[in-house]
Amino acid sequence: MPVRHESFVQTLRAQWLGQQMRQLREQRGITLKQAAEFLERDFSSVARWERAEWPFRRGVVVSLLDLYGEHDGRERNRFIQLAEDAWRTDRWDDDYDELVDASFIDFPWLETRAEEICSFDAMLMPGLLQTPAYAEAVIRNAEGARATDFSVGKWLQLRLDRQRVLDRDPMVRIAAVIDESVLRRPVGGATVMRGQLQHVGEILCKPNIQVRILPAKVGLHPGLDGSFWLFKMPKPYPEVAYAEHLGGRFFMESPKSKRFALAYDRLRELALDERGSARLIAKIAEELP
């Protein structure tokens, strides 16, 4: 009688580890076949590990790091820790601050893989919908006294590069609920805001973009704790919720991401429909001096 194997939940950690191991192998110029021969395994096994279809085992990761010539202690610890925790779906920050840099599981990585990106934006326009002038004003504010033309230009280009996801194939769906106060916050001045609001109004014609405005008359609602994002990944990968504040950034997978999904659904119900949202955006743009 055949042995029944339990399916592996393809967690965010497993996906990230698979991608990082593949990139390291390719950087070293080693083929799947060569890696498989070293491990005395079929090359399809290595491919499945890299795609997170199977979980990497600690011993396999250690052996491949030896083959790839990765001897830096900190890097080896990072890969090994990920392999040991590949089954986990809880938040990242508590365990990985000492092992990873700020790019670990970042927005661009999730944006390029998600089927749908949902967000509640309480303070600023969604990054994917910002004009260059609006984005520059936001970046200069974030950089503060450290801002230079070079640093601002670098971050601005990264922001604009991220927006390419809007035209990718297969198409990613964007669904944003934006608080009305965002439309009225004079980021960069009247001219910048007018251009930003006109841009959002124009981009609504895209079939993959949906924007709804949460009117100021709505009092208590599920978004009072601040902005958040929900990345709906292709099956069998779990959805990922993201939130940030002055204390740090938080990524959460299912089932903990469920509360964000429920909050977004409620916010969408409370917001104006797409036609009403477009009218309000145009009205506020016309009111600018």
Side-chain angles (χ1 to χ4, degrees), residues 215-265:
K217 66 181 180 181
V218 175
L220 299 176
H221 59 75
L224 292 176
D225 288 330
S227 303
F228 63 86
W229 293 259
L230 190 68
F231 298 89
K232 297 184 178 180
M233 312 299 282
K235 292 183 178 180
Y237 301 120
E239 66 182 7
V240 181
Y242 172 85
E244 63 182 33
H245 53 67
L246 291 177
R249 308 185 307 160
F250 303 95
F251 293 93
M252 286 150 282
E253 296 174 66
S254 181
K256 293 186 177 181
S257 61
K258 187 65 176 177
R259 60 179 296 196
F260 291 89
L262 293 173
Y264 177 79
D265 289 342

Side-chain angles (χ1 to χ4, degrees), residues 68-101:
Y68 301 160
E70 182 54 76
H71 302 302
D72 179 84
R74 187 172 185 271
E75 281 296 287
R76 289 178 70 91
N77 286 341
R78 180 168 72 90
F79 284 110
I80 292 169
Q81 186 69 56
L82 277 171
E84 292 178 344
D85 291 346
W87 56 273
R88 292 178 58 182
T89 61
D90 51 0
R91 50 186 275 192
W92 296 79
D93 307 63
D94 292 342
D95 303 305
Y96 290 89
D97 282 346
E98 300 301 320
L99 294 178
V100 300
D101 59 25

